[in-house]
Amino acid sequence: GAVVSQHPSWVICKSGTSVKIECRSLDFQATTMFWYRQFPKQSLMLMATSNEGSKATYEQGVEKDKFLINHASLTLSTLTVTSAHPEDSSFYICSARGPGNGYTFGSGTRLTVV
Amino acid sequence: KQEVTQIPAALSVPEGENLVLNCSFTDSAIYNLQWFRQDPGKGLTSLLLIQSSQREQTSGRLNASLDKSSGRSTLYIAASQPGDSATYLCARMKDMRFGAGTRLTVKP
């Protein structure tokens, strides 16, 4: 089946630094990937749609200069949280549309900014 | 405005019970609808995908139905087990909108 690998699974960083999260489709090509964030006991909120070879499409209220998305190949999208602050601490999850029209999710990244 | 709503928010049942989780959406012109399971601190595991042309999908003890006219989907879990304890999320694939989830606890 379709597998999406997300790395790292958790990261702790100092306030003001940047953190990069990778999302890879392992056995299929993904022209489109999606990035979500999830606060404790809340549902997933779509942040942006990552398009291979073009600019990402951000949801309303998501700062594109803070959450940089790069989708340089058909199997890799990266999310960089720039100048991270404690309020950016959250669970970030990526997904990709796999074969058969279903969506496959990565295992998520727990970001803690101290 | 909550576009995808899940009821109940939490559910606790004894092992062996059959149960139904509900998902409703405001825009009936959906494409596909997908049900997921999320364990604490983990990513999402796809359970069932119902394409817009389908009315239901079954996998093992799980059955998901879709009624576009009423804007509802249900996930039926038969003979629940403690291992089914998790948060169940439905998502409208048209615009990748998720419900808030139903937190299920199955007690031994």
Side-chain angles (χ1 to χ4, degrees):
Chain A
V3 177
V4 171
S5 174
Q6 190 171 340
H7 179 81
S9 56
W10 61 271
V11 58
I12 301 173
C13 71
K14 290 185 177 180
S15 185
T17 62
S18 296
V19 174
K20 180 185 286 188
I21 302 170
E22 293 187 349
C23 181
R24 294 180 184 271
S25 56
L26 296 186
D27 48 3
F28 65 101
Q29 294 183 334
T31 56
T32 304
M33 291 185 176
F34 304 88
W35 288 96
Y36 297 82
R37 67 186 298 180
Q38 184 180 34
F39 291 107
K41 296 187 178 181
Q42 295 187 27
S43 189
L44 280 72
M45 295 299 295
L46 180 65
M47 297 176 64
T49 302
S50 172
N51 305 298
E52 187 268 335
S54 65
K55 292 183 178 180
T57 304
Y58 290 83
E59 294 297 300
Q60 189 174 11
V62 178
E63 299 176 59
K64 61 180 182 180
D65 294 330
K66 180 166 188 64
F67 299 100
L68 299 179
I69 292 173
N70 184 284
H71 195 153
S73 77
L74 287 171
T75 59
L76 174 64
S77 175
T78 61
L79 168 68
T80 301
V81 183
T82 62
S83 186
H85 290 285
E87 56 265 31
D88 297 325
S89 298
S90 187
F91 192 58
Y92 294 86
I93 311 178
C94 67
S95 75
R97 184 171 180 171
N101 293 324
Y103 288 82
T104 302
F105 282 76
S107 56
T109 297
R110 171 77 57 195
L111 170 63
T112 302
V113 184
V114 298
Chain B
K1 172 184 169 186
Q2 186 69 33
E3 298 181 55
V4 181
T5 304
Q6 288 188 246
I7 296 173
L11 181 63
S12 181
V13 299
E15 183 177 3
E17 270 202 12
N18 302 325
L19 56 99
V20 176
L21 307 181
N22 298 291
C23 174
S24 61
F25 32 88
T26 55
D27 183 354
S28 62
I30 65 168
Y31 293 170
N32 303 330
L33 189 134
Q34 196 163 354
W35 282 91
F36 298 87
R37 167 188 174 136
Q38 186 177 30
D39 292 287
K42 304 292 185 182
L44 274 66
T45 301
S46 177
L47 298 174
L48 290 165
L49 166 69
I50 310 176
Q51 307 219 24
S52 60
S53 59
Q54 299 173 325
R55 294 184 65 85
E56 67 176 335
Q57 281 287 330
T58 298
S59 175
R61 294 182 293 110
L62 304 180
N63 175 277
S65 66
L66 175 63
D67 183 345
K68 290 194 295 180
S69 62
S70 63
R72 292 181 181 178
S73 177
T74 60
L75 178 67
Y76 176 82
I77 302 177
S80 59
Q81 302 171 358
D84 295 331
S85 298
T87 296
Y88 290 81
L89 298 160
C90 67
R92 186 174 71 186
M93 295 291 106
K94 171 187 176 184
D95 50 7
M96 306 301 289
R97 301 299 178 197
F98 279 77
T102 294
R103 197 161 52 254
L104 173 66
T105 302
V106 181
K107 295 178 285 188

